[in-house]
Amino acid sequence: MIDTIPEPEDVPFTVQLKALLDQETRYQPKLCGLRIIESAQENGLRMTARLRDFEVKDLLSLTRFFGFCADTFSLAVSLLDRFLSVMKIQPKHLSCVGLCCFYIAIKSSEEENVPAASELIRISQSRFTVSDMMRMEKIILEKLHWKVRAPTPLLFLRLFHSFILQQLDMDSKKSLNIERLEAQLKACHCSFAFTKIKPSLLALAILAFEVQEQGLCELTETQDTLQLQSHIKGGDLVCVRELVGKCLMEYSSTKCSRPSNRKLRWLISGRTARQLKRSYYKIAHLPTIPEVAS
Protein backbone atom coordinates (compact mmCIF):
# COMPACT_ATOMS: atom_id res chain seq x y z
CA MET A 1 0.00 0.00 0.00
CA ILE A 2 1.33 3.43 -0.94
CA ASP A 3 2.17 5.54 2.11
CA THR A 4 0.51 8.94 2.08
CA ILE A 5 0.40 12.09 4.14
CA PRO A 6 -3.17 13.21 4.81
CA GLU A 7 -4.20 16.69 3.74
CA PRO A 8 -4.94 18.72 6.88
CA GLU A 9 -8.19 20.63 7.05
CA ASP A 10 -8.53 23.34 9.68
CA VAL A 11 -5.76 21.75 11.71
CA PRO A 12 -3.82 24.09 14.05
CA PHE A 13 -0.40 25.19 12.80
CA THR A 14 1.51 23.48 15.61
CA VAL A 15 -0.25 20.17 14.92
CA GLN A 16 0.50 20.36 11.18
CA LEU A 17 4.13 21.26 11.81
CA LYS A 18 4.66 18.45 14.30
CA ALA A 19 3.16 15.92 11.89
CA LEU A 20 5.54 16.98 9.13
CA LEU A 21 8.57 17.12 11.43
CA ASP A 22 7.83 13.65 12.79
CA GLN A 23 8.00 12.23 9.27
CA GLU A 24 10.68 14.19 7.45
CA THR A 25 13.63 12.18 8.80
CA ARG A 26 12.10 8.92 7.54
CA TYR A 27 11.89 10.33 4.02
CA GLN A 28 15.38 11.82 3.80
CA PRO A 29 17.79 10.49 1.14
CA LYS A 30 20.54 8.29 2.57
CA LEU A 31 23.64 10.38 3.27
CA CYS A 32 26.01 7.55 2.40
CA GLY A 33 24.44 7.24 -1.05
CA LEU A 34 24.54 10.99 -1.64
CA ARG A 35 28.23 11.09 -0.72
CA ILE A 36 28.99 8.40 -3.29
CA ILE A 37 27.27 10.46 -5.98
CA GLU A 38 29.02 13.63 -4.82
CA SER A 39 32.47 12.03 -5.05
CA ALA A 40 31.92 10.27 -8.39
CA GLN A 41 34.07 11.25 -11.36
CA GLU A 42 32.64 12.29 -14.73
CA ASN A 43 33.66 9.13 -16.57
CA GLY A 44 30.27 7.95 -17.82
CA LEU A 45 30.27 4.89 -15.59
CA ARG A 46 28.77 6.29 -12.39
CA MET A 47 26.05 8.70 -11.36
CA THR A 48 27.33 12.19 -10.57
CA ALA A 49 25.87 15.29 -8.96
CA ARG A 50 26.00 17.08 -12.30
CA LEU A 51 23.98 14.41 -14.09
CA ARG A 52 21.46 14.46 -11.26
CA ASP A 53 21.04 18.22 -11.67
CA PHE A 54 20.58 17.87 -15.43
CA GLU A 55 17.81 15.33 -14.85
CA VAL A 56 16.02 17.55 -12.33
CA LYS A 57 16.10 20.42 -14.83
CA ASP A 58 14.52 18.07 -17.38
CA LEU A 59 11.75 17.24 -14.91
CA LEU A 60 11.22 20.94 -14.29
CA SER A 61 10.88 21.50 -18.02
CA LEU A 62 8.31 18.72 -18.25
CA THR A 63 6.41 20.16 -15.29
CA ARG A 64 6.15 23.48 -17.07
CA PHE A 65 5.29 21.88 -20.41
CA PHE A 66 2.34 19.93 -19.01
CA GLY A 67 1.28 22.70 -16.65
CA PHE A 68 1.60 20.53 -13.54
CA CYS A 69 1.64 22.03 -10.06
CA ALA A 70 4.73 22.70 -7.97
CA ASP A 71 3.74 19.80 -5.67
CA THR A 72 4.31 17.32 -8.51
CA PHE A 73 7.79 18.64 -9.28
CA SER A 74 8.88 18.82 -5.64
CA LEU A 75 7.65 15.28 -4.98
CA ALA A 76 9.36 13.97 -8.14
CA VAL A 77 12.67 15.45 -6.97
CA SER A 78 12.20 13.88 -3.54
CA LEU A 79 11.55 10.46 -5.09
CA LEU A 80 14.53 10.78 -7.43
CA ASP A 81 16.97 11.77 -4.70
CA ARG A 82 15.76 9.07 -2.34
CA PHE A 83 16.07 6.40 -5.01
CA LEU A 84 19.51 7.54 -6.20
CA SER A 85 20.73 7.45 -2.60
CA VAL A 86 19.84 3.76 -2.18
CA MET A 87 20.50 2.39 -5.69
CA LYS A 88 23.63 2.59 -7.80
CA ILE A 89 22.50 3.21 -11.37
CA GLN A 90 24.35 3.77 -14.60
CA PRO A 91 23.99 7.15 -16.31
CA LYS A 92 22.26 5.54 -19.30
CA HIS A 93 19.36 4.53 -17.02
CA LEU A 94 18.94 7.95 -15.41
CA SER A 95 16.35 9.29 -17.85
CA CYS A 96 14.13 6.24 -17.24
CA VAL A 97 14.49 6.60 -13.45
CA GLY A 98 13.75 10.31 -13.59
CA LEU A 99 10.70 9.95 -15.80
CA CYS A 100 9.32 7.14 -13.60
CA CYS A 101 9.73 9.30 -10.48
CA PHE A 102 7.93 12.08 -12.34
CA TYR A 103 5.11 9.72 -13.38
CA ILE A 104 4.69 8.44 -9.81
CA ALA A 105 4.56 12.02 -8.55
CA ILE A 106 1.94 12.97 -11.16
CA LYS A 107 -0.35 10.16 -10.05
CA SER A 108 0.30 10.77 -6.34
CA SER A 109 -0.38 14.50 -6.63
CA GLU A 110 -3.77 13.76 -8.20
CA GLU A 111 -3.22 15.91 -11.28
CA GLU A 112 -6.39 16.32 -13.33
CA ASN A 113 -4.88 15.27 -16.66
CA VAL A 114 -2.48 12.38 -16.21
CA PRO A 115 -0.70 11.71 -19.51
CA ALA A 116 -0.12 8.20 -20.77
CA ALA A 117 3.32 6.74 -20.18
CA SER A 118 3.86 6.63 -23.95
CA GLU A 119 3.13 10.37 -24.16
CA LEU A 120 5.67 11.15 -21.46
CA ILE A 121 8.28 9.08 -23.27
CA ARG A 122 7.53 10.83 -26.57
CA ILE A 123 7.59 14.36 -25.17
CA SER A 124 10.80 13.73 -23.22
CA GLN A 125 12.38 12.19 -26.36
CA SER A 126 13.49 9.15 -24.38
CA ARG A 127 14.57 5.91 -26.01
CA PHE A 128 13.12 3.34 -23.64
CA THR A 129 9.73 1.63 -23.94
CA VAL A 130 6.57 1.71 -21.86
CA SER A 131 7.45 -1.78 -20.60
CA ASP A 132 10.86 -0.51 -19.49
CA MET A 133 9.15 2.33 -17.67
CA MET A 134 6.65 0.05 -15.93
CA ARG A 135 9.43 -2.26 -14.73
CA MET A 136 11.46 0.66 -13.44
CA GLU A 137 8.43 2.14 -11.67
CA LYS A 138 7.94 -1.13 -9.79
CA ILE A 139 11.62 -1.20 -8.79
CA ILE A 140 11.47 2.40 -7.51
CA LEU A 141 8.35 1.79 -5.44
CA GLU A 142 9.77 -1.38 -3.93
CA LYS A 143 13.11 0.23 -3.05
CA LEU A 144 11.28 3.14 -1.41
CA HIS A 145 8.99 0.68 0.40
CA TRP A 146 5.97 2.28 -1.28
CA LYS A 147 6.44 5.41 0.84
CA VAL A 148 5.67 8.02 -1.80
CA ARG A 149 4.17 11.25 -0.49
CA ALA A 150 7.08 12.63 1.47
CA PRO A 151 6.98 15.86 3.52
CA THR A 152 8.72 17.97 0.86
CA PRO A 153 10.28 21.42 1.34
CA LEU A 154 7.28 22.82 -0.53
CA LEU A 155 4.87 21.62 2.16
CA PHE A 156 6.97 23.27 4.86
CA LEU A 157 7.38 26.45 2.79
CA ARG A 158 3.62 26.86 2.35
CA LEU A 159 2.96 26.12 6.00
CA PHE A 160 5.58 28.63 7.18
CA HIS A 161 4.32 31.21 4.69
CA SER A 162 0.72 30.90 5.85
CA PHE A 163 1.83 31.28 9.46
CA ILE A 164 3.99 34.32 8.81
CA LEU A 165 1.33 36.09 6.74
CA GLN A 166 -0.74 36.47 9.88
CA GLN A 167 1.88 38.89 11.18
CA LEU A 168 1.92 41.16 8.11
CA ASP A 169 -0.09 44.11 6.86
CA MET A 170 -1.45 44.15 3.31
CA ASP A 171 1.57 45.86 1.72
CA SER A 172 4.06 43.50 3.36
CA LYS A 173 2.00 40.49 2.28
CA LYS A 174 2.56 41.51 -1.33
CA SER A 175 6.31 41.56 -0.71
CA LEU A 176 6.30 38.01 0.64
CA ASN A 177 4.77 36.41 -2.44
CA ILE A 178 4.31 32.62 -2.33
CA GLU A 179 4.77 32.25 -6.10
CA ARG A 180 8.16 33.91 -5.84
CA LEU A 181 9.13 31.70 -2.90
CA GLU A 182 8.07 28.57 -4.80
CA ALA A 183 10.13 29.64 -7.82
CA GLN A 184 13.14 30.05 -5.55
CA LEU A 185 12.57 26.56 -4.18
CA LYS A 186 12.46 25.15 -7.71
CA ALA A 187 15.82 26.75 -8.41
CA CYS A 188 17.24 25.18 -5.24
CA HIS A 189 15.87 21.77 -6.26
CA CYS A 190 18.09 22.00 -9.36
CA SER A 191 21.21 22.02 -7.16
CA PHE A 192 22.62 18.84 -5.64
CA ALA A 193 23.92 20.92 -2.72
CA PHE A 194 20.45 20.89 -1.12
CA THR A 195 19.86 17.12 -1.24
CA LYS A 196 21.45 16.65 2.20
CA ILE A 197 19.42 19.40 3.86
CA LYS A 198 16.22 18.67 5.76
CA PRO A 199 13.06 19.96 4.02
CA SER A 200 12.08 22.09 7.01
CA LEU A 201 15.51 23.76 7.12
CA LEU A 202 15.55 24.47 3.38
CA ALA A 203 12.04 25.93 3.49
CA LEU A 204 12.82 28.21 6.45
CA ALA A 205 16.13 29.26 4.88
CA ILE A 206 14.35 30.35 1.68
CA LEU A 207 11.83 32.27 3.73
CA ALA A 208 14.59 33.84 5.87
CA PHE A 209 16.49 34.85 2.74
CA GLU A 210 13.44 36.56 1.29
CA VAL A 211 12.65 38.30 4.59
CA GLN A 212 16.21 39.61 4.60
CA GLU A 213 16.07 40.68 0.95
CA GLN A 214 12.78 42.52 1.41
CA GLY A 215 13.90 44.16 4.66
CA LEU A 216 10.93 42.88 6.64
CA CYS A 217 12.49 43.52 10.04
CA GLU A 218 9.14 43.16 11.77
CA LEU A 219 9.24 39.44 11.02
CA THR A 220 12.43 38.72 12.94
CA GLU A 221 10.54 37.56 16.04
CA THR A 222 8.14 35.43 14.00
CA GLN A 223 11.06 33.85 12.16
CA ASP A 224 12.71 33.04 15.49
CA THR A 225 9.46 31.40 16.61
CA LEU A 226 9.38 29.21 13.50
CA GLN A 227 13.02 28.30 14.01
CA LEU A 228 12.37 27.29 17.61
CA GLN A 229 9.25 25.26 16.84
CA SER A 230 11.05 23.49 13.96
CA HIS A 231 14.05 22.60 16.19
CA ILE A 232 16.47 24.32 13.79
CA LYS A 233 19.81 25.65 15.04
CA GLY A 234 20.59 29.28 14.34
CA GLY A 235 23.97 28.47 12.81
CA ASP A 236 22.42 25.93 10.44
CA LEU A 237 19.80 28.43 9.32
CA VAL A 238 22.40 31.11 8.59
CA CYS A 239 24.57 28.70 6.58
CA VAL A 240 21.70 27.39 4.48
CA ARG A 241 20.27 30.89 3.98
CA GLU A 242 23.63 31.97 2.53
CA LEU A 243 23.70 28.85 0.37
CA VAL A 244 20.23 29.71 -0.94
CA GLY A 245 21.40 33.23 -1.82
CA LYS A 246 24.41 31.87 -3.68
CA CYS A 247 22.26 29.34 -5.54
CA LEU A 248 19.72 31.95 -6.64
CA MET A 249 22.47 34.26 -7.84
CA GLU A 250 24.05 31.48 -9.91
CA TYR A 251 20.68 30.34 -11.19
CA SER A 252 19.75 33.79 -12.45
CA SER A 253 23.10 34.31 -14.18
CA THR A 254 23.68 30.87 -15.66
CA LYS A 255 21.95 29.30 -18.63
CA CYS A 256 20.16 26.13 -17.57
CA SER A 257 21.29 23.26 -19.74
CA ARG A 258 21.82 19.53 -19.94
CA PRO A 259 23.78 17.21 -22.23
CA SER A 260 22.29 16.22 -25.57
CA ASN A 261 21.45 12.57 -26.23
CA ARG A 262 24.44 12.27 -28.53
CA LYS A 263 26.76 13.75 -25.93
CA LEU A 264 25.40 11.52 -23.20
CA ARG A 265 26.26 8.51 -25.36
CA TRP A 266 29.78 9.92 -25.72
CA LEU A 267 29.99 10.33 -21.97
CA ILE A 268 28.90 6.73 -21.44
CA SER A 269 31.61 5.69 -23.90
CA GLY A 270 34.22 7.37 -21.70
CA ARG A 271 34.71 10.63 -23.58
CA THR A 272 36.03 13.72 -21.79
CA ALA A 273 34.11 16.21 -19.67
CA ARG A 274 35.13 18.95 -22.12
CA GLN A 275 33.28 17.17 -24.93
CA LEU A 276 30.26 16.88 -22.68
CA LYS A 277 30.37 20.58 -21.87
CA ARG A 278 30.44 21.62 -25.54
CA SER A 279 27.23 19.83 -26.43
CA TYR A 280 24.81 21.03 -23.73
CA TYR A 281 21.50 22.30 -25.01
CA LYS A 282 19.10 24.73 -23.37
CA ILE A 283 15.89 23.67 -21.71
CA ALA A 284 12.84 25.80 -22.40
CA HIS A 285 10.14 26.70 -19.90
CA LEU A 286 12.35 26.86 -16.80
CA PRO A 287 10.85 29.15 -14.17
CA THR A 288 11.86 32.73 -13.73
CA ILE A 289 11.75 34.14 -10.23
CA PRO A 290 9.04 36.83 -10.32
CA GLU A 291 9.72 40.35 -9.23
CA VAL A 292 8.16 41.59 -6.02
CA ALA A 293 5.04 43.64 -6.61
CA SER A 294 5.59 47.32 -6.02
Side-chain angles (χ1 to χ4, degrees), residues 137-231:
E137 182 179 8
K138 185 173 183 293
I139 292 172
I140 292 171
L141 289 172
E142 289 178 348
K143 290 298 179 181
L144 299 183
H145 307 291
W146 296 82
K147 298 182 184 297
V148 174
R149 295 194 63 190
T152 63
L154 181 62
L155 293 179
F156 281 102
L157 185 61
R158 288 176 175 166
L159 183 61
F160 291 156
H161 179 261
S162 64
F163 177 80
I164 213 168
L165 279 187
Q166 300 173 14
Q167 318 301 322
L168 295 175
D169 56 29
M170 188 57 65
D171 291 337
S172 297
K173 286 181 179 180
K174 293 179 181 179
S175 298
L176 207 61
N177 182 280
I178 187 60
E179 286 77 17
R180 178 179 168 85
L181 292 170
E182 288 184 7
Q184 291 174 342
L185 175 59
K186 289 175 183 177
C188 291
H189 274 321
C190 293
S191 173
F192 184 83
F194 295 99
T195 57
K196 300 176 184 178
I197 296 173
K198 293 192 303 182
S200 57
L201 176 54
L202 176 54
L204 189 56
I206 291 174
L207 192 57
F209 174 79
E210 190 66 6
V211 166
Q212 182 184 58
E213 289 295 292
Q214 300 305 324
L216 299 173
C217 301
E218 67 271 25
L219 291 180
T220 301
E221 186 175 341
T222 304
Q223 181 181 305
D224 291 343
T225 299
L226 288 174
Q227 179 186 326
L228 181 63
Q229 293 183 340
S230 302
H231 311 294

Side-chain angles (χ1 to χ4, degrees), residues 7 31 43 48 71-73 96 103-104 142 152 178 180 189 196 198 204 208 235 237 246 259 261 263 275 287:
E7 298 292 336
L31 281 177
N43 57 13
T48 65
D71 302 79
T72 294
F73 173 65
C96 185
Y103 196 38
I104 294 170
E142 289 178 348
T152 63
I178 187 60
R180 178 179 168 85
H189 274 321
K196 300 176 184 178
K198 293 192 303 182
L204 189 56
L237 181 59
K246 181 181 178 181
N261 290 337
K263 193 61 223 178
Q275 289 174 316

Side-chain angles (χ1 to χ4, degrees), residues 66-85:
F66 284 102
F68 292 144
C69 62
D71 302 79
T72 294
F73 173 65
S74 194
L75 180 56
V77 174
S78 172
L79 293 169
L80 177 63
D81 288 338
R82 289 166 57 203
F83 183 73
L84 293 179
S85 72

